[in-house]
Amino acid sequence: MTDPAMIIAMKFLGKLKLGMNHLMPKSVPYVTFKIIELSLTHGMSPVSPLGFAYYGSYLAKQGNINKGYHYVKLALSLLDRVGSRENAGGVIFMCTQVKSYVEPLQAALEYHHEGYAAAMASGDISQAVINLLALNASSFFAGANLQRIQEQCDNTIQLCEERKMVIFMVQAQQFQRSSTKLIGTGEEPKYSSEGRDVLASNIGIMRSYHYHTAYVSFIFRSYDDTIENIEKYFALQENTWGILFLAHAVHAFHTGLISFWVARKSKEQRWYQRGNQSKLALRRWAETSQWTFENKWYLLEAEESFCNNDVEAAKTYYKKAITSAKLHKSVHEEALAHELAAHFYLELGEREQTVEHFMLAHEKYLEWGALGKCDSLLKFVEFMKKLWHEGAMS
């Protein structure tokens, strides 16, 4: 691209796209198509890779993961051909979100390190922080050591505070809060007055807060807190994103598990339907990445079978979920699969299997660094054994 007017127009569209992600996400595809149209008509520019990256994400969000993956690889290949890497941080971030649906999730960690470095090199602090946020999220979802994640979150929050990036800081504080709860320190984030305003008014941030709170409550088996926050999560309408984030899949997984738990307790059909929707979504995603999504799909199948009183199917799927999580290096989800299997066997009255799975869950939670969860689990096991001894539990 050599036309000065077109170059300026492309730069404007690139900046517009990044701003619209949060303010007008439904309009992002229109800007994406315009960038691609101008690139194909007038030649490639430094903004062109951004257009192809977003187009790949748009296709992936529509359900065509493989085609989306093709376009994000094209976007990355263009970075070194357009004469400038000024948008490299944003391109790498967006492409990595799609690649996480195809490649092993653990690989995303290195990609976001690269995106952070590229953004810093071009002076784009916003995209540098976005890559740090994505690194924190991917590390958490991949089952990286929780103490290391806490350090990453602390560093991200410090940078956001220095740069007065309030929304990004509050986002980082959600992962910081979940990590500290699991570790057992229980420290609440120190929100600034601006941060508290964001937390009370920004729908995306509020939804993230209730997701994290529901997730941690679920992990600690606090039913009332879980249902209170998951109801609030579902009540907040998600922005109509035209792009695909890793969080879409992880939220579907955890809300699916919660929904099946609530369905068993409440007997309400709406919760069963929500769990089933999550299961179907994870099954589709497992077709493009067995590594990241197979164990999640199997665990949802197990929980659904538990709901349906299909004992043999549940046993089979719990075993598959555990084996798949172990094979794909998801220590946190191996722990969770063991724990949920233990609750299933507890319901059946099979004491030996119950204790075995609880202790294997404890071992894996310990490996993850979830010391607070380990303490909670041991207390429950001791309480359970006491009830058995007293004859108060089958």
Side-chain angles (χ1 to χ4, degrees), residues 166-167 170 193-203 205-206:
V166 179
I167 292 179
V170 175
S193 59
E194 295 90 346
R196 287 192 292 273
D197 290 341
V198 167
L199 198 57
S201 61
N202 184 298
I203 290 177
I205 296 294
M206 291 165 66

Side-chain angles (χ1 to χ4, degrees), residues 200-213:
S201 61
N202 184 298
I203 290 177
I205 296 294
M206 291 165 66
R207 204 165 192 263
S208 176
Y209 173 85
H210 290 301
Y211 158 74
H212 277 275
T213 305

Side-chain angles (χ1 to χ4, degrees), residues 300-311 313-315 317:
L300 286 166
E301 289 278 11
E303 288 289 285
E304 183 179 48
S305 298
F306 188 3
C307 280
N308 292 333
N309 295 314
D310 190 340
V311 172
K315 287 181 178 180
Y317 278 116

Side-chain angles (χ1 to χ4, degrees), residues 128-170:
V129 171
I130 286 172
N131 273 283
L132 285 181
L133 290 170
L135 174 62
N136 296 341
S138 296
S139 297
F140 189 85
F141 296 148
N145 179 266
L146 285 169
Q147 285 74 15
R148 188 160 63 248
I149 293 171
Q150 187 177 12
E151 291 176 7
Q152 289 176 191
C153 290
D154 290 345
N155 292 335
T156 304
I157 290 165
Q158 182 179 348
L159 178 58
C160 290
E161 192 171 16
E162 291 170 356
R163 298 286 177 167
K164 301 189 184 305
M165 296 177 166
V166 179
I167 292 179
F168 291 159
M169 183 167 73
V170 175

